[in-house]
mmCIF file of all heavy atoms in Angstrom:
data_model
loop_
_atom_site.group_PDB
_atom_site.id
_atom_site.type_symbol
_atom_site.label_atom_id
_atom_site.label_comp_id
_atom_site.label_asym_id
_atom_site.label_seq_id
_atom_site.Cartn_x
_atom_site.Cartn_y
_atom_site.Cartn_z
ATOM 1 N N ILE A 167 -10.083 4.669 13.083
ATOM 2 C CA ILE A 167 -11.344 5.055 13.717
ATOM 3 C C ILE A 167 -11.221 5.097 15.233
ATOM 4 O O ILE A 167 -11.870 5.911 15.900
ATOM 5 C CB ILE A 167 -12.476 4.109 13.271
ATOM 6 C CG1 ILE A 167 -12.800 4.365 11.792
ATOM 7 C CG2 ILE A 167 -13.717 4.289 14.113
ATOM 8 C CD1 ILE A 167 -13.274 5.779 11.482
ATOM 9 N N GLU A 168 -10.382 4.247 15.796
ATOM 10 C CA GLU A 168 -10.145 4.312 17.243
ATOM 11 C C GLU A 168 -9.396 5.590 17.619
ATOM 12 O O GLU A 168 -9.650 6.186 18.671
ATOM 13 C CB GLU A 168 -9.359 3.083 17.689
ATOM 14 C CG GLU A 168 -10.172 1.797 17.635
ATOM 15 C CD GLU A 168 -9.324 0.544 17.749
ATOM 16 O OE1 GLU A 168 -8.083 0.651 17.789
ATOM 17 O OE2 GLU A 168 -9.908 -0.558 17.787
ATOM 18 N N GLN A 169 -8.484 6.019 16.760
ATOM 19 C CA GLN A 169 -7.661 7.192 17.053
ATOM 20 C C GLN A 169 -8.355 8.506 16.681
ATOM 21 O O GLN A 169 -8.104 9.538 17.309
ATOM 22 C CB GLN A 169 -6.316 7.056 16.323
ATOM 23 C CG GLN A 169 -5.457 5.920 16.879
ATOM 24 C CD GLN A 169 -4.316 5.512 15.957
ATOM 25 O OE1 GLN A 169 -4.377 5.704 14.739
ATOM 26 N NE2 GLN A 169 -3.261 4.953 16.526
ATOM 27 N N VAL A 170 -9.199 8.479 15.656
ATOM 28 C CA VAL A 170 -9.964 9.670 15.248
ATOM 29 C C VAL A 170 -11.428 9.232 15.071
ATOM 30 O O VAL A 170 -11.905 9.042 13.948
ATOM 31 C CB VAL A 170 -9.417 10.279 13.943
ATOM 32 C CG1 VAL A 170 -10.101 11.622 13.644
ATOM 33 C CG2 VAL A 170 -7.909 10.473 14.015
ATOM 34 N N PRO A 171 -12.162 9.067 16.173
ATOM 35 C CA PRO A 171 -13.518 8.511 16.093
ATOM 36 C C PRO A 171 -14.494 9.338 15.260
ATOM 37 O O PRO A 171 -15.463 8.793 14.717
ATOM 38 C CB PRO A 171 -13.967 8.466 17.559
ATOM 39 C CG PRO A 171 -12.705 8.486 18.353
ATOM 40 C CD PRO A 171 -11.744 9.311 17.563
ATOM 41 N N ASP A 172 -14.248 10.646 15.150
ATOM 42 C CA ASP A 172 -15.155 11.515 14.394
ATOM 43 C C ASP A 172 -14.660 11.789 12.981
ATOM 44 O O ASP A 172 -15.092 12.765 12.347
ATOM 45 C CB ASP A 172 -15.379 12.831 15.135
ATOM 46 C CG ASP A 172 -14.078 13.598 15.390
ATOM 47 O OD1 ASP A 172 -12.993 12.987 15.259
ATOM 48 O OD2 ASP A 172 -14.162 14.790 15.738
ATOM 49 N N ALA A 173 -13.800 10.942 12.467
ATOM 50 C CA ALA A 173 -13.273 11.143 11.116
ATOM 51 C C ALA A 173 -14.409 11.220 10.097
ATOM 52 O O ALA A 173 -15.283 10.348 10.047
ATOM 53 C CB ALA A 173 -12.317 10.024 10.739
ATOM 54 N N ALA A 174 -14.386 12.287 9.284
ATOM 55 C CA ALA A 174 -15.380 12.440 8.224
ATOM 56 C C ALA A 174 -14.873 11.890 6.905
ATOM 57 O O ALA A 174 -15.660 11.492 6.043
ATOM 58 C CB ALA A 174 -15.754 13.914 8.070
ATOM 59 N N LEU A 175 -13.545 11.881 6.746
ATOM 60 C CA LEU A 175 -12.942 11.458 5.481
ATOM 61 C C LEU A 175 -11.599 10.795 5.739
ATOM 62 O O LEU A 175 -10.817 11.282 6.566
ATOM 63 C CB LEU A 175 -12.745 12.686 4.571
ATOM 64 C CG LEU A 175 -11.961 12.496 3.273
ATOM 65 C CD1 LEU A 175 -12.699 11.557 2.321
ATOM 66 C CD2 LEU A 175 -11.706 13.840 2.599
ATOM 67 N N VAL A 176 -11.340 9.708 5.030
ATOM 68 C CA VAL A 176 -10.042 9.034 5.072
ATOM 69 C C VAL A 176 -9.506 8.960 3.641
ATOM 70 O O VAL A 176 -10.201 8.489 2.733
ATOM 71 C CB VAL A 176 -10.151 7.615 5.667
ATOM 72 C CG1 VAL A 176 -8.796 6.914 5.618
ATOM 73 C CG2 VAL A 176 -10.677 7.660 7.095
ATOM 74 N N LEU A 177 -8.290 9.450 3.443
ATOM 75 C CA LEU A 177 -7.617 9.340 2.152
ATOM 76 C C LEU A 177 -6.602 8.216 2.227
ATOM 77 O O LEU A 177 -5.720 8.221 3.090
ATOM 78 C CB LEU A 177 -6.903 10.644 1.787
ATOM 79 C CG LEU A 177 -7.753 11.892 1.576
ATOM 80 C CD1 LEU A 177 -6.882 13.038 1.111
ATOM 81 C CD2 LEU A 177 -8.877 11.650 0.591
ATOM 82 N N VAL A 178 -6.707 7.261 1.304
ATOM 83 C CA VAL A 178 -5.856 6.075 1.358
ATOM 84 C C VAL A 178 -5.209 5.844 0.001
ATOM 85 O O VAL A 178 -5.875 5.950 -1.040
ATOM 86 C CB VAL A 178 -6.681 4.845 1.808
ATOM 87 C CG1 VAL A 178 -7.839 4.573 0.880
ATOM 88 C CG2 VAL A 178 -5.798 3.611 1.925
#
Side-chain angles (χ1 to χ4, degrees):
I167 290 299
E168 290 166 356
Q169 292 164 335
V170 188
D172 59 345
L175 172 65
V176 177
L177 296 185
V178 59

